[in-house]
Amino acid sequence: MVYLTRKAEFSAAHYYHNPEFTPDENQRVFGKCNNPNGHGHNYTLEVTVKGEVDPKSGFVVDLKQLKDVMSREVLDAFDHRFLNKEVPEFSTDVPTMIPTTENIAIAIWQRLAPKLKAAQLHRVRVYETPDLFVDFYGEA
Amino acid sequence: MKAHLTRRYMFSASHRLHSDEMSEEENRVTYGKCNNPYGHGHNYTIEVTVSGPVDDQTGMVCDLVDLDAFVHAQILGRYDHQNLNLLAEFVKQVPTTENLCIAIYEIVKRGFHHAHLERVRIEETMMNSFEYAGENGR
């Protein structure tokens, strides 16, 4: 088994707000991240896939295919977007997922896993800043 | 759904690698320039990885404010700008980064209960790093 990791970057705005909380609770739980006007980050995404090395090609995965799937499923949807307003998983209007780094990693996993051929998704790592990152290994 | 969250922190400290159980010559051979009697220092970067289910209400594994407060009080407050050799845990133990990593893991494991501690990783310099995930860790 060989693991291969591809990095990508995207920049997006978000804020933390749970419609089931009172304004006071939102402020207490989420602090300055609750500002409804949003704030932004430069996110770094690392997608790790695993598989056996194909004896003919020497590849674990076709990098071009991995790059295309990451671009189409994640970067086109997230880059230079306001996550709460433009990405359905994080819509603030209905109680969906709050766009924390944890949930961004889960959402990216859910977008990528069904689209990858041959190689198996192993880990999604999302850096919100160089000093904070989340790893998601799937539901198991 | 379970996720792992990692936070990085920095502190600066001095140390000297020297074992009382070895002769002066053995210490010099074993630790090289790290055995310099006056000590030397590093900017350490530590990574604390915790895990747990992502809370439906908050979207969080744990509140970063709690993790930051704990690490600042119990780790950075203890080690930053200190001479490691003078601390209780290194009176009988050589303050290698391996032992420092284990000491920090034990402090977090004992005192931080908002999420499960997975691992502590320390970069002593940009060129070397150490990880400890408990006695049964990988």
Side-chain angles (χ1 to χ4, degrees), chain A residues 6-74:
Chain A
R6 177 140 200 132
K7 288 172 77 152
E9 292 187 336
F10 62 92
S11 304
H14 71 168
Y15 71 106
Y16 296 168
H17 178 84
N18 185 333
E20 294 172 1
F21 289 170
T22 65
D24 277 356
E25 280 177 313
N26 270 301
Q27 185 56 44
R28 182 172 49 77
V29 173
F30 298 124
K32 61 185 177 182
C33 297
N34 184 232
N35 175 356
N37 298 318
H39 61 279
H41 298 284
N42 296 323
Y43 292 93
T44 299
L45 167 64
E46 289 182 7
V47 174
T48 302
V49 296
K50 62 184 174 184
E52 300 299 338
V53 178
D54 183 296
K56 291 202 176 101
S57 67
F59 291 162
V60 168
V61 60
D62 182 340
L63 267 181
K64 171 78 164 61
Q65 196 238 338
L66 179 58
K67 185 180 179 183
D68 288 347
V69 170
M70 285 168 63
S71 294
R72 194 175 59 241
E73 301 297 329
V74 181

Side-chain angles (χ1 to χ4, degrees), chain B residues 7-138:
Chain B
R7 185 81 155 153
R8 285 164 66 91
Y9 306 90
M10 293 178 73
F11 65 88
S12 305
S14 65
H15 70 170
R16 179 199 184 200
L17 303 188
H18 180 90
S19 170
D20 291 337
E21 293 174 13
M22 295 185 206
S23 68
E24 293 294 325
E25 179 58 22
E26 280 177 307
N27 268 298
R28 267 194 298 277
V29 170
T30 303
Y31 297 121
K33 61 185 178 182
C34 297
N35 185 237
N36 168 12
Y38 300 104
H40 63 279
H42 297 286
N43 295 323
Y44 293 94
T45 299
I46 67 171
E47 287 184 3
V48 177
T49 301
V50 296
S51 70
V54 178
D55 186 290
D56 286 343
Q57 295 287 301
T58 64
M60 298 172 178
V61 167
C62 74
D63 193 335
L64 272 180
V65 173
D66 293 330
L67 183 60
D68 281 356
F70 181 86
V71 173
H72 280 275
Q74 303 298 325
I75 307 296
L76 307 187
R78 180 164 187 79
Y79 295 116
D80 189 36
H81 286 73
Q82 296 296 314
N83 180 334
L84 299 180
N85 297 68
L86 299 180
L87 298 174
E89 58 268 46
F90 298 118
V91 169
K92 291 183 176 166
Q93 232 184 7
V94 184
T96 58
T97 308
E98 289 90 328
N99 283 333
L100 181 60
C101 196
I102 294 169
I104 291 174
Y105 177 94
E106 295 298 340
I107 293 171
V108 178
K109 189 80 191 166
R110 207 164 45 238
F112 185 74
H113 303 298
H114 293 282
H116 173 73
L117 178 62
E118 287 283 339
R119 181 177 69 238
V120 170
R121 177 171 173 272
I122 306 188
E123 295 172 12
E124 184 183 69
T125 69
M126 285 174 66
M127 308 304 279
N128 62 28
S129 66
F130 304 83
E131 290 185 34
Y132 184 66
E135 284 196 23
N136 300 317
R138 60 175 174 85

Side-chain angles (χ1 to χ4, degrees), chain A:
Chain A
M1 187 74 79
V2 174
Y3 296 77
L4 181 147
T5 300
R6 177 140 200 132
K7 288 172 77 152
E9 292 187 336
F10 62 92
S11 304
H14 71 168
Y15 71 106
Y16 296 168
H17 178 84
N18 185 333
E20 294 172 1
F21 289 170
T22 65
D24 277 356
E25 280 177 313
N26 270 301
Q27 185 56 44
R28 182 172 49 77
V29 173
F30 298 124
K32 61 185 177 182
C33 297
N34 184 232
N35 175 356
N37 298 318
H39 61 279
H41 298 284
N42 296 323
Y43 292 93
T44 299
L45 167 64
E46 289 182 7
V47 174
T48 302
V49 296
K50 62 184 174 184
E52 300 299 338
V53 178
D54 183 296
K56 291 202 176 101
S57 67
F59 291 162
V60 168
V61 60
D62 182 340
L63 267 181
K64 171 78 164 61
Q65 196 238 338
L66 179 58
K67 185 180 179 183
D68 288 347
V69 170
M70 285 168 63
S71 294
R72 194 175 59 241
E73 301 297 329
V74 181
L75 305 184
D76 289 354
F78 288 18
D79 189 37
H80 286 73
R81 302 285 184 185
F82 196 143
L83 300 178
N84 303 64
K85 298 178 191 295
E86 298 182 88
V87 177
E89 291 97 315
F90 304 122
S91 168
T92 308
D93 300 330
V94 287
T96 48
M97 293 200 286
I98 297 166
T100 57
T101 317
E102 291 92 324
N103 280 334
I104 292 171
I106 292 170
I108 290 174
W109 177 286
Q110 290 170 342
R111 281 171 174 254
L112 292 178
K115 304 289 182 183
L116 291 174
K117 295 174 190 154
Q120 192 187 343
L121 192 54
H122 172 66
R123 184 184 75 191
V124 168
R125 172 174 286 188
V126 178
Y127 286 85
E128 185 183 82
T129 68
D131 290 339
L132 174 65
F133 61 87
V134 166
D135 292 323
F136 185 63
Y137 295 89
E139 289 192 43

